[in-house]
Every structure is written in C-alpha cells, then in structure tokens.
Amino acid sequence: MRIAVFLVLCMLLGTSTIFAAELPKNLGHVQDRAQYFQEKDKKVLRAEAVSGSLHYYILTIPTLGGEDSAKYATSVYKSWKLTKNDVLIVIADKERRVEVNFNNSELQKKLDKLPADYDGDGNKNEKKLVEFVDKHFIPSAKEGDFVGAVRQLMTSMNKLMPAAAAKPTEKPAAAGAQSPVKTDGTKKPEKTEKPEKTESSGEPVNVAPFFIGVLIFFLFIAFIIAAIIVLKRLFSGLKLKKKLAEVREQIAMQSVELAQALDALTPLAEMSQGRTGAVVKDQEKQLTTLLLETENIGKEMDANSIMVLNTKMLFYNLLLYTEYMVENEKKMAVVTRKANELADAEKKLGPFASRIAGNLNRIEIGINDMAQKLGSQLLPLRQSLEDAKNVLAKATEQSAFDVLSGTEWALKAERTCNALQSEYDELVELHGQLIGFPELERNCRESVKEIIQFHNLHAFEEETLSLIDRSNTLSEQMLTELKQGQVSSARSLWEQCQKLLREAVTSVTKLSELRRSNMDKADALDHKLKQLIVTRDKLNDELLQLSHRYVKSLWADMKDEYDQWLTDLTAATKDLDIAKAQTGDREQNFESAKNIFDDLSEDFETFEAAAASMLETIEQWDKANYGLRNQFDADLSLYNQAIEHCRANRIFLTPEFLQEAESVIRTQSETFQNAATSSPCNLMLLEQYGDSFHEAVASICTMIQRIEQNKYTAVQKLTMLDTSFKQQLVLAKGMLYKRKIKQSYNELKTAAERCIQTGMYEEALEWLKQLEEFVLSLGSANRIQSQLHANAQMQQQQRIQATRTVVYHQTTNEEREERPRPKPPKPKSGSSWFSSSSNSSSSRQPDKKPETKNSSGGSSWGSSNSNSSGGSSFGGGSSKGSSSGGSSFSGGSNKNNGGGNSSGGSNW
C-alpha cells in the first residue's frame, strides 16, 4: 500500500513538471524578459518583493502570443507552485497588459471592502482588483515609469496586509486526556463499553495501549508526508544541480575561448610597436581581466557546495550565475571580435601587398609596350608608377612592427594602383581609337560628298569639308599628347574630333532635308496658284456679267476688293518665284526660301477665302433676283386664284372692290416688271417693289377671306335662327299672335337674305343680329305664357278669376304686338376694302397672324385660324378647325374638313 501511494505521488509530480515546462521557469522574484528594468532597478525590486507580509514575483514578457492574460497568469502561478502569501505580477509588453494573480482569501476580503469606484473613473461595476491596479499601477506605467508602478503596487498591497503575529503552536495533550475521534457525517461513533468493576478486583481500567496506537498511527502519517516532501525537494534539487552543472560547463568554455583569443594575440603584442602595440596591449589587458573573472567565478562555483535539499539556495545561485554568464558572453563578443580583427589584419596584410605588387608589375609591362608603340617614354605614367611602388614599400616596411599603419599604407597603395590602372586603360583605348580614325574620317568624307552630290549642295561643300579637315588636324595633336603621356588632353581632343565629324554629317543632312521640304512646299503652292488663277478668271467673268446685270452701286465695293486681291496675288506670285530661285541650284538660300514658303502658305489660304467670299456674295445676289421674280409670280398667281375662288364658290364682291383691287394689282405689277426687265437691274429697288406688291396681294386676299367668312357666318346664322324660330313658334299660343310674329320674322329674314344675295354680308349680319334679338324676345314671352297656364290649372277653384287673368294677359300681348315697331337702321353698304374694320397683315413673314373681329366662320391668309364654322383657306395658310364647307387650294392645307379638331406639325 505504501509503495502504491509513493508511485502515485511520483507520477503526479512528474506530470506537473511536464506541464510546467511549457511556461517560463521560476528563476527568482524578478524576471525581466521584456527588458524593462536595469540591473540596479532589479536589485531594488528583489529587495522590496520580500520585505513585507506578501512575497511578489514580477514577470515581464514581450507578448502573450494571442493567449488570454488571466489564463496565462493563472498557469504561471500554478506552474511556479506559489503559496498563499505569494502574489504574481505579469506585464505583457506588446499587449500593454498587466495581470495580478494570488490565492489569498484575506487579501481578497480586504479588496472587497474598498469603496465603490476606487479608481475614480466613474465605473462602479469593475472588479475591486482591477480598480486597485488602475489606481496604483496604470498612472506611472502610462508615463513609462514601470519601476515606480511596480513599487507603488507592492507598497499599496502591503498596506492592505500588515505583518501578522505568528500563531501559537498547539500543546500536546496531557496524559490521560481523551483525544477526539474523527467520524464521518453519517455514522455515529461506537460507544465503548466500560468494564464493570467487580468487587473482587478493585483495580482501575488501563487505556494507555489505545492512546499509544493512535499516536503511532499519526506518526506514521507524518512520516509519509515528510517522505513525500523530501522526495519532491530531492527531485527539484537534482534538477537545479544539473542546471548549475550546465552553467558551470558553459563558464568553463568561456574561459577556454578567452584563453585561445589571448594566445592568438600574444605573438602580435610581442612584435608590434607604435599604434598597433598600444591597441594590442589594451586588448590583451581586457582579455586577461575577463579571463581571471571567469576563472574566479568557476572556482567559486566549485567551492560552493550546497545540499540537494536546499532548493531555495540552489535556485538563487542558478539565477545569479546565469545572469553572470549572459553578461560575460556579451563582453567576450566585443573583446574577442577586436582581437580577431587584429590577428586577421596581420595575416591578410602580406597577401594584400603581394596582390598590389603584381598589379603594378602588369601595369609596368603595359606602359613599356605602349611606350614602344608610340615611340615615347610616357614619363607621367612612369612617375605615377614609381609613386605607387614607393607607397607599397612603405606599407611593407610598416607591416613588420605596426600592422595598423601598414594596412593604411597598403590601402593607399591600392588606390594609387587603381588610378594608374584607369589611366593606362584610357591610354590604350585612345590609342586604338586614334589608329581607327583615318578610316572613320574617310567614311565621313564619302558620306558628306554623296549627300552633296545627290541633293546638288555644292555651295556648302567647301564649308562642310573644312570641318572634316579640322578634325584631321586635331587627331594629329591628339597623337602628340598621347606621346607625352597627357591622357586627359588627348581625351578632350578626341571628343572634339568626333564632334566635328558629327557636325559635318548633320549639317549636310539638315540642308538636304530642308531643300526637299522647300521643294515639296513649292509644288504645293504651285498647285494652289493654279487653282487661284482659275478662280481669278471666274471672278473676272462674274464681275463682267455683274456690270451688265446690276447697277454699279451694287458691285462697286466688290470691284475694289477684287482689284486689291488681284494685286496681292500678283505680288505673292513674284515671291513664289523668288523662293523657287533660292531653292534652286544657283542660289541655294534654303532658310530664306523656307520663310517665304511659310508666309505664302498663309497668304494663299487668305486668297482662297476672299475669292470664295466674293463668289458667294455674287451667288446670293443672283438668288435674291430669282427669288424676287418667283415671289412676284407666286403673289400674282395667288391673287388670280383668290378671284377665281370667289367666282367658283359664288362669293359676291362689290364692283367698287373689284375695280380698286384690279387697279392696284395692275399698277404695282407693271412697276415691278419694268424694274425687273431694266438693264442694268437695280436689285434694291426691285426688292422694294416686290415687297409692295406682296403686301397689296396679302391685303386683298385678307379682305376676300373676311368677305367669305362673313358670308358663311350669315348663312349659318340664318339657318340656326330659322330652326330656333320654328321651335318658338310651336310653343306660342293663339293663331293671331302666331301670324303676327311670323310676319315680323319674315320681314327681317327677307332683308337679311337680300343683303346676302347682293354681297352685302356685313349689312346681312346686322339684320341677322336684329333677327336674333327678336327670336330671343319671343322665347321670353313663351315662357311667361307657360307659367300662367300652369297657375291656371293649379287654381281650378278660382276659374273665373283665372280666366279673366288669362284673357287680360292675352289682350295685353295682342295690343303690344299691334303697336308700330320701329324699323332698324339700314346697314351701311358699298364700303371700300381699303377702309374695312379688319386689320390686314402686310408683312411677308408667315408667322405674323392677321387679326379679325369675327368670332366664327372663314379662314385667314398665310396663317392658322381655328374657327367653329364654314369657310375655306388658300394662299399658303392652313385651316385647322373648320367644321363645314369650303375648299383648299394654292399650297394651303385644310387639315380637318367636316368637323372635329386635330393637330400636327413640328417645332423649329
């Protein structure tokens, strides 16, 4: 049983160790993994972490890696096996999060007693621990003072939990006292039967064996617990011992590395002088000091043997030596790197100087070869070579006792060698270009001559070839400079040679392109000039015909404009000949010719526009002449159609109207025809006569339309009144009364019909107006009679009185009808169409509508009139609302004959 319990405990300890290995190990009260604190700050925090009633463990980490901060802190708390009086403070750098974790019910009670909104942020629902941390940690942390934040948090928590007095240990029970017996909650303890005293024995009962057994049992339990604790500490101590051994091994390795670096630096220190000697001695001193410190630490670790069960001391030593090992590693990295650099510099200096010497030897061989080819000593290059050799010799001399100085001289020798190599390479390049220059010069000369020959540019041949000759002279100077070793001067002369050759080829190429462009422009201008000559001949013919067709006042200004145009065209033709001569083989002044061609291109466009404008003006005059004649014919035809329309539709016109209209048409027609047939023709006067004739025809047509409208209005009104009178006659009472009113109606009707038959339509409308009043009055009388008749039927009881009343009214009406009726005034007749009350339109514009005083019938000339009755339209107008009669002719359109309104057309 004991073995089984022991194995189970070992398994539990092993499992907890495995889970704890995934989290940071407990290396002390301050573990700064996020590098928040300096060494002096760590010492202060370690001292304060254990100074109060609570012990604090401070852990800073770079990041939580996405894990919840509370869960992480709880895991670390359990992994480190912290006790009741331990408080864990975890600070995450990336998440800017602080987490406080503990397992102390008394501390939690103290926090719960804090007042609401302890941190003063207005939120009373936060946990007390959160408010406590917000008040004592966050303000200093926001300012970047994490040491002050942690110290304030620990101080505040220590105030909540002051140091408590040690609890008194329980005294062992007195001899003979009864020990309490543990029982479960369900079964009562069995009562022991006390032995009955016998009178024969007389001795007390002995209970000591029972208490001894209980004491042995508890001692056994205590022994098991102690054994478990010892085993746990033993395993922890062995692990710490193993880690200390690893740290000791690493410190020993550091000692070996320091000794090796010191051994490598010792030969250099013995032989070095000057600046290198001082640097080597300083490095040797640092290595020696660091080596002694490392060996002393190792000896201290060897001498400091701690028992395995003292885990706390082992843990402290492990933390201390680990920090030392890390710091020592940083120092070693700096010191050994400098020592290795010095050692490497000594090893590399010799091969480096040898490589420079080899380069100088190759350059010297090349200089000797070039001197032989050029027939010169190339003294500047040889002097630079000697300077580089002297610098290299100085580097070799210094390398024997001063590595650093020797390295600087070697670098200087390398720069000198590189400059000399560049100068030598340029010399070789220029020499090769100089060798190929004769062929380059020959090819350039042939190209220039070929272009000059092809485009006939002999005037520029001498100037262009002089550039090539100058480049040849510069090539000779370049050879002289190369022989003297002046590489930079030779490079400048070579660039000038190339520039001269390019300039020669470019100049003749531009001249050839310019001549070709001028010739193309000359051809284009010749073509335009031919077109302008054709236009000139056409203008001559047109102006000649104008002098016969129209009066001089019309075309005099155009003649002056044409003369100026002809003068400018002649001058432009001369300029074109000059530009052609400059482009030719003799003068070859291409730039001047180009400017003249450009100017002439603009001038010819101006000539074309002016000629087109004059021709367009002449064409407009001819169109106006033909238009006036066509308009006259159309107006005359419209007049004839209007007269014929009246005859066909039996529209009677008064003789005075016809005589006066014929006189006006005949007079103005003869005036227009005389102006049109005169030679030359006065177009302005012809236009005035045409307008006058057009206005006269429009006025006549308007009056005819008015007469036609009056006729149809009278006829339609008479028909309507006949129908109304017949209806009223049926309603009238009494034969005598009917005969009288019929006689009066027939008299008015006869007068109106007589006016209609004789063509006096306005007088007929006056008679019809009286007739309409008569019919309306007849309707009123009939309504009165009907009302009286109704009253008579309703009053049958007073028949006698009603009969007298009816007779009285009838008698009164008959007397009223027998009174003499005054005759209406005779309507005026024979009025001239010139004095008509209608407003006739004399404008030629079709969008101006003539105004009439009639509300019905007829149609209008040259406009749209919506009417409710009769009529017709003619002369280019349209009747859009005629409901009866009429016809359409002479270009007009009757869009709705026979009733109903319709619309059509489009806006413009």
Side-chain angles (χ1 to χ4, degrees), residues 299-323:
K299 293 178 181 179
E300 182 181 349
M301 290 182 68
D302 294 339
N304 190 6
S305 59
I306 303 172
M307 295 181 62
V308 176
L309 296 179
N310 193 357
T311 55
K312 190 172 184 180
M313 195 63 187
L314 288 173
F315 177 77
Y316 176 78
N317 287 342
L318 177 62
L319 182 62
L320 180 63
Y321 293 135
T322 302
E323 291 180 358

Side-chain angles (χ1 to χ4, degrees), residues 722-735:
D722 272 343
T723 303
S724 179
F725 176 75
K726 290 177 181 179
Q727 294 175 354
Q728 297 297 331
L729 189 63
V730 172
L731 298 174
K733 305 294 182 179
M735 294 297 295

Side-chain angles (χ1 to χ4, degrees), residues 22-24 33-34 36 59-77 88-101:
E22 299 177 358
L23 299 170
R33 293 173 175 265
Y36 273 83
L59 173 63
T60 65
I61 56 175
T63 179
L64 291 169
E67 189 175 354
D68 182 70
S69 59
K71 293 182 179 179
Y72 181 85
T74 303
S75 300
V76 174
Y77 190 94
L88 175 64
I89 302 173
V90 180
I91 303 173
D93 181 34
K94 182 179 179 181
E95 289 79 7
R96 302 181 63 82
R97 180 77 179 173
V98 60
E99 195 71 28
V100 178
N101 197 300

Side-chain angles (χ1 to χ4, degrees), residues 240-250 301 318:
L240 292 175
K241 277 283 188 178
K242 184 178 179 180
K243 291 180 180 179
L244 280 172
E246 293 175 357
V247 173
R248 176 65 181 93
E249 184 177 357
Q250 292 179 3
M301 290 182 68
L318 177 62

Side-chain angles (χ1 to χ4, degrees), residues 844-858:
R844 294 176 60 190
Q845 300 179 358
D847 56 345
K848 290 186 179 180
K849 299 180 180 179
E851 298 178 358
T852 62
K853 294 182 180 179
N854 297 312
S855 61
S856 63

Side-chain angles (χ1 to χ4, degrees), residues 702 706 709 838-839 850-855 859-860 865 867:
T702 302
R706 178 184 176 84
Q709 180 179 356
S838 63
N839 294 327
E851 298 178 358
T852 62
K853 294 182 180 179
N854 297 312
S855 61
S859 61
S860 62
N865 189 9
N867 301 308

Side-chain angles (χ1 to χ4, degrees), residues 195-206:
E196 296 180 358
K197 297 182 179 180
T198 60
E199 295 179 358
S200 60
S201 60
E203 294 181 2
V205 179
N206 188 7

